[in-house]
Amino acid sequence: MKILITGGTGFIGRELMKHFTTYDVVLLTRNIQRAKEALKHIDHGNIHYISSLSELLDLNGFDAVINLAGEPIVDRRWSRKQKEVICNSRWETTEKIVDLIHASAQPPSVFISGSAVGYYGNQESHPFDESLHVNQPKFPHLVCSTWEQIAKRARTDTTRVCLLRTGIVLKADGGAMKKMLPPYRLGLGGPIGSGQQYMPWIHIQDMIRGILYLLKTPHAHGEFNLCAPHPVTNKHFSKQLAKSLKRPHFLFTPKWVLKLALGESSVLLFDSARAKPKKLTELGFQFNFSRLEPALKNLLHHSQ
């Protein structure tokens, strides 16, 4: 199998690349030397690095495209300039891939492109699945909905499109969990605000398995919630994490403190999304970690 992948050195991409050692991979990266260093333990001479999609005239000969590229949405305050960086890093890359697919006489059979549960915005405590259609002015929805609409343009009779509406991906040495663990290990962890907002989480192992499942399931197409079947409130998550670490759980962070510190981006912490992975489970996918407690135990055990 020949695959074009963007974002292959990112948080999810690095884990995914471990499963592509027997494939012919073309990796788009802004810094080829840094990418080679990051992937040297899994590069068996099967990875070809490119720094621009302009190096490709079409995608003839490629079996699949996996598009995970994008500026991290939570690392900086959302200034006007940062919003432009977040949007352009997703939209422009996706547009170029779509153009390459349409320029191909024999295009890839599948295009898997990133998105996030931020598409749904705040849905309070109501459970929902991929059938929920949302139209709202909040920035996360704008980013995701535009990103998805661009990716959908690649859909033809020969190319199916799968959109990854990703939840909070749990991995002890990366992402949100890496930032959370130090204060929790010091006994300083606690819920955010009221803690009643739902967190659609997913174990990194199931995240990767889900992508691979969509890659290899010919009838899979459309939007997919990449999150465990049992989302939990922030308060429950916080309490379970403290319990797994055998630490006290009595502090909390007031909402106004984070609003002051993070500005508009604080909506990512307070919006409630009780998302269910209905389409993925209906396809027959089975989660290794459908509930939080065993997921945390597994992640913390392997981090020690």
Side-chain angles (χ1 to χ4, degrees):
M1 181 178 282
K2 186 174 182 180
I3 298 175
L4 170 65
I5 182 168
T6 73
T9 59
F11 171 46
I12 295 171
R14 282 197 305 267
E15 287 297 312
L16 186 62
M17 288 291 291
K18 294 176 183 178
H19 297 264
F20 290 163
T21 54
T22 60
Y23 295 163
D24 183 7
V25 178
V26 175
L27 173 70
L28 175 68
T29 177
R30 287 176 294 184
N31 189 314
I32 291 178
Q33 284 307 120
R34 191 179 301 167
K36 286 182 176 180
E37 181 64 25
L39 300 175
K40 63 182 180 182
H41 59 297
I42 58 170
D43 187 351
H44 302 298
N46 63 307
I47 304 175
H48 175 65
Y49 302 84
I50 60 173
S51 58
S52 172
L53 288 172
S54 62
E55 297 179 42
L56 303 173
L57 298 177
D58 54 53
L59 296 180
N60 290 326
F62 284 90
D63 300 291
V65 180
I66 300 177
N67 178 31
L68 303 176
E71 172 79 6
I73 199 168
V74 296
D75 284 5
R76 299 180 183 179
R77 288 176 68 97
W78 290 347
S79 64
R80 180 180 296 181
K81 182 178 179 181
Q82 183 62 12
K83 282 184 175 182
E84 289 179 0
V85 172
I86 289 169
C87 293
N88 293 338
S89 65
R90 289 160 172 77
W91 301 349
E92 290 182 359
T93 299
T94 306
E95 282 182 336
K96 290 175 182 177
I97 291 171
V98 172
D99 289 343
L100 286 170
I101 289 174
H102 287 310
S104 305
Q106 295 178 311
S109 61
V110 58
F111 176 34
I112 298 176
S113 190
S115 185
V117 291
Y119 166 86
Y120 299 107
N122 183 20
Q123 297 300 323
E124 299 179 339
S125 61
H126 308 295
F128 60 86
D129 57 41
E130 295 89 348
S131 64
L132 178 67
H133 295 285
V134 177
N135 185 14
Q136 59 175 245
K138 283 188 177 180
F139 180 63
H141 172 76
L142 171 67
V143 174
C144 294
S145 61
T146 305
W147 197 8
E148 291 183 7
Q149 288 304 315
I150 295 169
K152 286 178 181 178
R153 296 175 195 159
R155 185 170 55 199
T156 64
D157 291 340
T158 52
T159 302
R160 59 188 175 90
V161 175
C162 295
L163 302 170
L164 309 175
R165 289 180 177 169
T166 305
I168 300 169
V169 182
L170 301 183
K171 188 172 184 285
D173 61 352
M177 194 169 173
K178 181 181 180 180
K179 296 177 181 178
M180 295 171 69
L181 280 176
Y184 274 82
R185 283 181 166 138
L186 292 172
L188 302 176
I192 297 171
S194 70
Q196 297 308 305
Q197 64 274 31
Y198 273 84
M199 296 173 55
W201 62 274
I202 185 170
H203 190 294
I204 182 66
Q205 187 182 119
D206 282 331
M207 180 70 204
I208 301 306
R209 290 178 61 248
I211 295 174
L212 296 174
Y213 193 84
L214 295 175
L215 178 67
K216 298 174 183 178
T217 304
H219 54 283
H221 65 90
E223 304 87 353
F224 291 88
N225 290 339
L226 267 291
C227 48
H230 301 286
V232 298
T233 63
N234 173 262
K235 186 174 183 179
H236 180 94
F237 182 94
S238 177
K239 189 173 183 179
Q240 192 60 60
L241 180 56
K243 180 181 177 182
S244 299
L245 292 166
K246 298 181 173 60
R247 294 294 187 272
H249 184 259
F250 58 88
L251 300 175
F252 78 100
T253 305
K255 188 173 183 178
W256 68 267
V257 171
L258 288 170
K259 275 193 169 183
L260 187 64
L262 302 176
E264 186 185 352
S265 65
S266 64
V267 299
L268 296 172
L269 300 175
F270 297 115
D271 278 357
S272 179
R274 199 175 179 181
K276 299 280 190 173
K278 182 180 180 183
K279 284 185 64 178
L280 195 56
T281 52
E282 285 183 344
L283 279 178
F285 180 80
Q286 295 183 344
F287 286 80
N288 285 345
F289 300 95
S290 62
R291 295 195 178 270
L292 183 63
E293 183 176 4
L296 290 177
K297 285 184 177 179
N298 174 268
L299 290 164
L300 294 172
H301 172 74
H302 288 290
S303 71
Q304 294 172 354

